[in-house]
Amino acid sequence: PLSAINMGSDQQSLSLLLTALTIVAYTVLLSNVAGLLLAQLAKSLHDTKIALAERDALNAQLEYLVEERTRELRNNQALLQSFLDHAPAAVYVKSLDGRYLLSSSYMHDLLGLSAAQLQQNPTELPHGKQMPNWHKFDQQVLAQAQPVEGEVEVPYQDEIRTYDMLQFPLRDTTGKIHAIGGIVSDITPRKRAEASLVRQLRLQLAIARCART
């Protein structure tokens, strides 16, 4: 009986030892796994930090390029507007719905409309303000897809003046017409000179007929 007790005690001790060894093994294994996970997490955080830094650098570079491009476009627009404002003619770019996207000072003075008003839809103009009725030229330009030239009469400072109008299609990169350009020049002095010359010729012809009789 004593030997049986000792044998049972030894088996219990061995079982406890095996359990303890198993716990230690699992502890070591878990510690290794935790260490591996922590290392991977640290690497992931490091890679993320680098990626964020690269993203911020790219964003800063992109913002700089956008600012530079915007500044360049504004300078070019100001240069173009300054050139147009010194042109001795009404120069403009008109959208297909009738809004003047770009216009010279001569145009503003001729029509009595500001650049902001010309950029509005014709139906949105204040009462008493009216854009020139040049739709027939617009339709010809769009129908023929080529420049169209003609004469128009415009009231200006209590008189009717005659203008030579040249309109032409403006195309986008695909070749589609997306706007209409125009140049309107005052030819009133020339027309009056021609009319005066015609009157003088008629008078001379009438005098010559009277002299023959």
Side-chain angles (χ1 to χ4, degrees):
L2 182 59
S3 60
I5 292 174
N6 291 334
M7 183 177 297
S9 177
D10 291 340
Q11 289 178 351
Q12 185 177 6
S13 297
L14 182 59
S15 177
L16 291 173
L17 179 59
L18 290 175
T19 300
L21 290 174
T22 301
I23 293 174
V24 170
Y26 275 115
T27 302
V28 172
L29 179 61
L30 290 175
S31 177
N32 291 337
V33 171
L36 180 60
L37 291 175
L38 288 175
Q40 291 178 347
L41 179 60
K43 183 177 183 303
S44 178
L45 291 174
H46 178 70
D47 293 342
T48 301
K49 183 179 180 180
I50 292 176
L52 290 175
E54 292 177 348
R55 183 205 63 184
D56 292 341
L58 289 174
N59 286 339
Q61 184 178 8
L62 180 60
E63 289 178 0
Y64 173 78
L65 292 176
V66 169
E67 290 177 358
E68 283 294 307
R69 181 59 176 166
T70 301
R71 187 179 300 109
E72 180 181 352
L73 289 174
R74 287 176 178 172
N75 289 337
N76 290 338
Q77 185 176 8
L79 180 64
L80 176 59
Q81 189 63 54
S82 178
F83 173 80
L84 291 178
D85 289 342
H86 289 84
V91 184
Y92 57 86
V93 173
K94 180 166 50 174
S95 67
L96 300 183
D97 63 358
R99 294 178 298 109
Y100 288 80
L101 308 176
L102 187 66
S103 55
S104 64
S105 293
Y106 192 106
M107 181 83 168
H108 308 156
D109 181 62
L110 172 63
L111 302 180
L113 296 169
S114 66
Q117 289 174 327
L118 286 172
Q119 290 173 0
Q120 297 178 11
N121 189 288
T123 60
E124 299 174 350
L125 289 176
H127 179 70
K129 297 291 186 178
Q130 186 175 1
M131 290 186 184
N133 186 17
W134 296 337
H135 300 305
K136 63 177 182 179
F137 292 97
D138 298 349
Q139 294 170 358
Q140 290 179 25
V141 170
L142 296 176
Q144 301 175 17
Q146 62 183 9
V148 173
E149 187 172 9
E151 294 182 2
V152 294
E153 292 184 340
V154 180
Y156 181 73
Q157 296 182 352
D158 300 327
E159 65 175 339
I160 301 297
R161 300 187 69 86
T162 305
Y163 294 85
D164 177 74
M165 169 180 284
L166 173 64
Q167 288 202 153
F168 43 89
L170 297 176
R171 304 176 185 273
D172 58 20
T173 55
T174 65
K176 181 180 178 181
I177 298 175
H178 70 106
I180 296 174
I183 303 174
V184 182
S185 304
D186 189 355
I187 58 173
T188 304
R190 189 190 79 191
K191 299 293 289 186
R192 289 176 178 174
E194 291 174 352
S196 177
L197 180 59
V198 169
R199 287 195 298 269
Q200 292 177 11
L201 291 175
R202 287 177 178 173
L203 179 59
Q204 291 175 3
L205 288 173
I207 294 174
R209 291 193 189 100
C210 291
R212 292 192 192 100
T213 59

